[in-house]
Coordinates of all heavy atoms in Angstrom, one line a residue:
R1 N 3.0 5.9 19.5 CA 3.8 4.7 19.2 C 3.3 4.1 17.8 O 4.1 3.7 17.0 CB 3.7 3.7 20.3 CG 4.4 2.4 20.0 CD 4.5 1.4 21.1 NE 5.1 0.2 20.8 CZ 6.4 0.0 20.7 NH1 7.2 1.0 20.9 NH2 6.8 -1.2 20.4
I2 N 1.9 4.1 17.7 CA 1.4 3.6 16.4 C 1.9 4.5 15.2 O 2.2 3.9 14.2 CB -0.2 3.6 16.5 CG1 -0.6 2.6 17.5 CG2 -0.8 3.3 15.1 CD1 -2.1 2.6 17.7
R3 N 1.9 5.8 15.4 CA 2.4 6.6 14.3 C 3.8 6.4 14.0 O 4.3 6.4 12.9 CB 2.1 8.1 14.7 CG 0.7 8.6 14.6 CD 0.6 10.1 14.6 NE 1.0 10.6 15.9 CZ 0.2 10.8 16.9 NH1 -1.1 10.6 16.8 NH2 0.6 11.3 18.1
R4 N 4.6 6.2 15.1 CA 6.0 5.9 14.9 C 6.2 4.6 14.1 O 7.0 4.5 13.2 CB 6.8 5.8 16.2 CG 7.0 7.2 16.8 CD 8.0 7.1 18.0 NE 7.6 6.2 19.0 CZ 6.9 6.5 20.1 NH1 6.5 7.7 20.2 NH2 6.6 5.6 21.0
L5 N 5.4 3.6 14.5 CA 5.5 2.3 13.7 C 5.1 2.4 12.3 O 5.7 1.8 11.4 CB 4.7 1.2 14.5 CG 5.1 0.8 15.8 CD1 4.1 -0.1 16.5 CD2 6.5 0.1 15.8
Q6 N 4.0 3.3 12.1 CA 3.6 3.5 10.7 C 4.7 4.2 9.9 O 4.9 3.8 8.7 CB 2.3 4.3 10.7 CG 1.1 3.5 11.2 CD -0.1 4.4 11.4 OE1 -0.1 5.6 11.3 NE2 -1.3 3.7 11.5
R7 N 5.3 5.2 10.5 CA 6.4 5.9 9.8 C 7.5 4.9 9.5 O 8.1 5.0 8.4 CB 6.9 7.1 10.6 CG 5.9 8.2 10.6 CD 6.6 9.5 11.1 NE 7.1 9.3 12.5 CZ 6.4 9.7 13.6 NH1 5.2 10.2 13.4 NH2 6.9 9.5 14.8
Q8 N 7.9 4.1 10.4 CA 9.0 3.1 10.2 C 8.6 2.1 9.1 O 9.5 1.8 8.2 CB 9.3 2.4 11.5 CG 9.9 3.2 12.6 CD 10.1 2.5 13.9 OE1 9.8 1.3 13.9 NE2 10.5 3.2 14.9
M9 N 7.3 1.7 9.0 CA 6.9 0.8 8.0 C 7.0 1.5 6.6 O 7.4 0.9 5.6 CB 5.5 0.3 8.2 CG 5.4 -0.6 9.4 SD 3.7 -1.1 9.8 CE 3.3 -2.0 8.3
R10 N 6.5 2.8 6.6 CA 6.6 3.5 5.3 C 8.0 3.7 4.9 O 8.3 3.6 3.7 CB 5.8 4.8 5.4 CG 4.3 4.7 5.5 CD 3.7 6.1 5.3 NE 4.0 7.0 6.3 CZ 3.3 7.2 7.4 NH1 2.2 6.5 7.6 NH2 3.7 8.1 8.3
K11 N 8.9 4.0 5.8 CA 10.3 4.2 5.5 C 10.9 2.9 5.0 O 11.6 3.0 3.9 CB 11.0 4.6 6.8 CG 12.5 4.8 6.6 CD 13.2 5.2 7.9 CE 14.7 5.3 7.7 NZ 15.4 5.6 9.0
R12 N 10.6 1.8 5.6 CA 11.2 0.5 5.1 C 10.7 0.2 3.7 O 11.4 -0.3 2.8 CB 10.9 -0.6 6.0 CG 11.7 -0.6 7.3 CD 11.6 -1.9 8.0 NE 10.3 -2.2 8.5 CZ 9.8 -1.9 9.7 NH1 10.5 -1.3 10.6 NH2 8.5 -2.2 10.0
R13 N 9.4 0.4 3.5 CA 8.8 0.2 2.2 C 9.4 1.1 1.1 O 9.7 0.7 0.0 CB 7.3 0.4 2.2 CG 6.5 -0.1 1.0 CD 5.0 0.1 1.1 NE 4.5 -0.5 2.3 CZ 4.0 0.2 3.3 NH1 4.0 1.5 3.2 NH2 3.4 -0.4 4.3
M14 N 9.6 2.4 1.5 CA 10.2 3.3 0.5 C 11.6 2.9 0.2 O 12.0 3.0 -1.0 CB 10.2 4.7 1.2 CG 10.7 5.8 0.2 SD 10.7 7.4 1.0 CE 12.0 7.2 2.3
L15 N 12.4 2.5 1.2 CA 13.8 2.1 0.9 C 13.8 0.8 0.1 O 14.8 0.7 -0.7 CB 14.6 1.9 2.3 CG 14.8 3.2 3.1 CD1 15.4 2.9 4.4 CD2 15.6 4.2 2.3
E16 N 12.9 0.0 0.3 CA 12.8 -1.2 -0.5 C 12.5 -0.9 -2.0 O 13.0 -1.5 -2.9 CB 11.7 -2.2 0.0 CG 11.7 -3.5 -0.7 CD 12.9 -4.4 -0.4 OE1 13.6 -4.1 0.6 OE2 13.2 -5.3 -1.2
D17 N 11.7 0.2 -2.2 CA 11.3 0.6 -3.5 C 12.5 1.3 -4.3 O 12.4 1.4 -5.5 CB 10.1 1.6 -3.5 CG 8.8 0.9 -3.1 OD1 8.8 -0.4 -3.1 OD2 7.9 1.6 -2.6
V18 N 13.5 1.7 -3.5 CA 14.7 2.3 -4.2 C 15.3 1.3 -5.2 O 15.9 1.7 -6.2 CB 15.7 2.7 -3.1 CG1 17.0 3.2 -3.8 CG2 15.2 3.8 -2.3
K19 N 15.2 0.0 -4.9 CA 15.8 -1.0 -5.8 C 15.2 -1.0 -7.2 O 15.8 -1.5 -8.2 CB 15.6 -2.4 -5.2 CG 16.3 -2.6 -3.9 CD 16.0 -3.9 -3.3 CE 16.7 -4.1 -1.9 NZ 16.4 -5.4 -1.3
R20 N 14.0 -0.4 -7.4 CA 13.4 -0.3 -8.7 C 13.8 1.0 -9.4 O 13.4 1.2 -10.6 CB 11.9 -0.3 -8.6 CG 11.3 -1.5 -7.8 CD 9.8 -1.7 -8.1 NE 9.1 -0.4 -8.1 CZ 8.4 0.1 -7.1 NH1 8.3 -0.6 -5.9 NH2 7.7 1.2 -7.2
A21 N 14.5 1.8 -8.8 CA 14.8 3.1 -9.4 C 15.8 3.0 -10.6 O 16.6 2.1 -10.6 CB 15.4 4.1 -8.3
A22 N 15.6 3.9 -11.5 CA 16.5 4.0 -12.7 C 17.7 4.9 -12.4 O 18.8 4.8 -13.0 CB 15.7 4.5 -13.9
V23 N 17.5 5.9 -11.5 CA 18.5 6.9 -11.2 C 18.2 7.5 -9.9 O 17.0 7.6 -9.5 CB 18.6 8.0 -12.3 CG1 17.3 8.8 -12.4 CG2 19.8 8.9 -12.1
V24 N 19.2 8.0 -9.1 CA 19.0 8.7 -7.9 C 19.7 10.1 -8.1 O 20.9 10.2 -8.3 CB 19.7 8.0 -6.7 CG1 19.6 8.8 -5.4 CG2 19.0 6.6 -6.5
I25 N 18.8 11.1 -7.9 CA 19.3 12.5 -8.1 C 19.7 13.0 -6.7 O 18.9 12.9 -5.7 CB 18.2 13.4 -8.7 CG1 17.6 12.8 -9.9 CG2 18.8 14.8 -8.9 CD1 18.6 12.6 -11.0
T26 N 20.9 13.5 -6.5 CA 21.4 13.9 -5.2 C 21.8 15.4 -5.2 O 21.9 16.0 -6.2 CB 22.6 13.1 -4.8 OG1 23.7 13.4 -5.7 CG2 22.3 11.6 -4.8
N27 N 22.0 15.9 -3.9 CA 22.2 17.3 -3.7 C 23.7 17.8 -3.8 O 23.9 19.0 -4.0 CB 21.6 17.8 -2.4 CG 21.4 19.3 -2.3 OD1 21.4 20.0 -3.3 ND2 21.3 19.8 -1.1
P28 N 24.7 17.2 -3.4 CA 24.9 15.7 -3.2 C 24.7 15.1 -1.8 O 24.6 13.9 -1.7 CB 26.3 15.6 -3.7 CG 27.0 16.8 -3.3 CD 26.0 17.9 -3.4
T29 N 24.8 16.0 -0.8 CA 24.8 15.4 0.6 C 23.4 15.5 1.3 O 23.1 14.7 2.1 CB 25.9 16.0 1.4 OG1 25.7 17.4 1.5 CG2 27.2 15.8 0.8
E30 N 22.7 16.6 1.0 CA 21.5 16.8 1.8 C 20.3 16.1 1.3 O 19.5 15.5 2.1 CB 21.2 18.3 1.8 CG 20.1 18.7 2.8 CD 19.8 20.2 2.8 OE1 20.5 20.9 2.1 OE2 19.0 20.6 3.6
F31 N 20.0 16.1 0.0 CA 18.8 15.5 -0.6 C 19.2 14.3 -1.5 O 20.3 14.3 -2.1 CB 18.1 16.6 -1.5 CG 17.6 17.7 -0.7 CD1 18.2 19.0 -0.8 CD2 16.4 17.6 0.1 CE1 17.7 20.0 -0.1 CE2 15.9 18.7 0.8 CZ 16.6 19.9 0.7
A32 N 18.2 13.4 -1.6 CA 18.3 12.3 -2.5 C 16.9 11.9 -3.0 O 16.1 11.7 -2.1 CB 19.0 11.1 -1.8
V33 N 16.8 11.8 -4.3 CA 15.4 11.5 -4.8 C 15.7 10.4 -5.9 O 16.4 10.5 -6.8 CB 14.8 12.7 -5.5 CG1 13.4 12.3 -6.1 CG2 14.7 13.9 -4.6
A34 N 14.9 9.2 -5.6 CA 15.1 8.1 -6.5 C 13.9 8.1 -7.5 O 12.7 8.2 -7.1 CB 15.0 6.8 -5.7
L35 N 14.3 8.0 -8.8 CA 13.3 8.0 -9.9 C 13.2 6.7 -10.6 O 14.2 6.1 -10.9 CB 13.6 9.1 -10.9 CG 13.7 10.6 -10.4 CD1 14.1 11.5 -11.5 CD2 12.3 11.0 -9.8
E36 N 12.0 6.2 -10.8 CA 11.7 5.0 -11.6 C 11.1 5.4 -12.9 O 10.3 6.3 -13.0 CB 10.8 4.1 -10.8 CG 10.4 2.8 -11.6 CD 9.3 2.0 -10.9 OE1 8.7 2.6 -10.0 OE2 9.1 0.8 -11.3
Y37 N 11.6 4.7 -14.0 CA 11.1 5.0 -15.3 C 11.2 3.7 -16.1 O 12.2 2.9 -16.0 CB 11.8 6.1 -16.0 CG 11.2 6.4 -17.4 CD1 10.0 7.0 -17.5 CD2 11.9 6.1 -18.5 CE1 9.4 7.3 -18.7 CE2 11.4 6.4 -19.8 CZ 10.1 6.9 -19.9 OH 9.6 7.2 -21.1
G38 N 10.1 3.4 -16.9 CA 10.1 2.3 -17.7 C 9.0 2.4 -18.8 O 8.2 3.4 -18.8
P39 N 8.9 1.4 -19.7 CA 7.9 1.5 -20.8 C 6.5 1.5 -20.2 O 5.6 2.1 -20.9 CB 8.2 0.2 -21.6 CG 9.6 -0.1 -21.2 CD 9.8 0.3 -19.8
Q40 N 6.3 0.9 -19.0 CA 4.9 0.9 -18.5 C 4.5 2.2 -17.8 O 3.3 2.4 -17.4 CB 4.8 -0.3 -17.5 CG 5.5 0.0 -16.2 CD 7.0 -0.3 -16.2 OE1 7.5 -0.6 -17.3 NE2 7.6 -0.3 -15.1
L41 N 5.4 3.1 -17.7 CA 5.1 4.4 -17.0 C 5.1 5.5 -18.0 O 5.9 5.6 -18.9 CB 6.2 4.7 -16.0 CG 6.4 3.7 -14.8 CD1 7.5 4.1 -13.9 CD2 5.1 3.7 -14.0
S42 N 4.1 6.4 -17.8 CA 4.0 7.5 -18.8 C 5.0 8.6 -18.5 O 5.3 9.4 -19.4 CB 2.5 8.1 -18.7 OG 2.3 8.6 -17.3
A43 N 5.5 8.7 -17.2 CA 6.5 9.7 -16.9 C 7.3 9.2 -15.7 O 6.8 8.3 -15.0 CB 5.8 11.0 -16.5

């Protein structure tokens, strides 16, 4: 149960971080990868 809660917390945190993304690369239906880029990031 602790592991499930930890996974749920990581999932919510990850979905919250999608809002900072500059683009989302899709498969189009199977995969989705959100990328963040800005002047403060080297890549």
Side-chain angles (χ1 to χ4, degrees):
R1 178 172 175 79
I2 292 175
R3 286 194 293 267
R4 287 195 300 271
L5 293 175
Q6 291 174 346
R7 287 195 297 268
Q8 293 175 2
M9 291 177 62
R10 288 195 296 268
K11 178 183 175 182
R12 287 196 296 267
R13 190 181 305 113
M14 182 183 68
L15 294 177
E16 185 68 22
D17 292 340
V18 175
K19 299 177 181 179
R20 306 199 314 264
V23 63
V24 174
I25 311 298
T26 64
N27 196 20
T29 58
E30 186 178 3
F31 295 104
V33 180
L35 298 177
E36 179 187 12
Y37 183 69
Q40 73 279 7
L41 297 176
S42 59

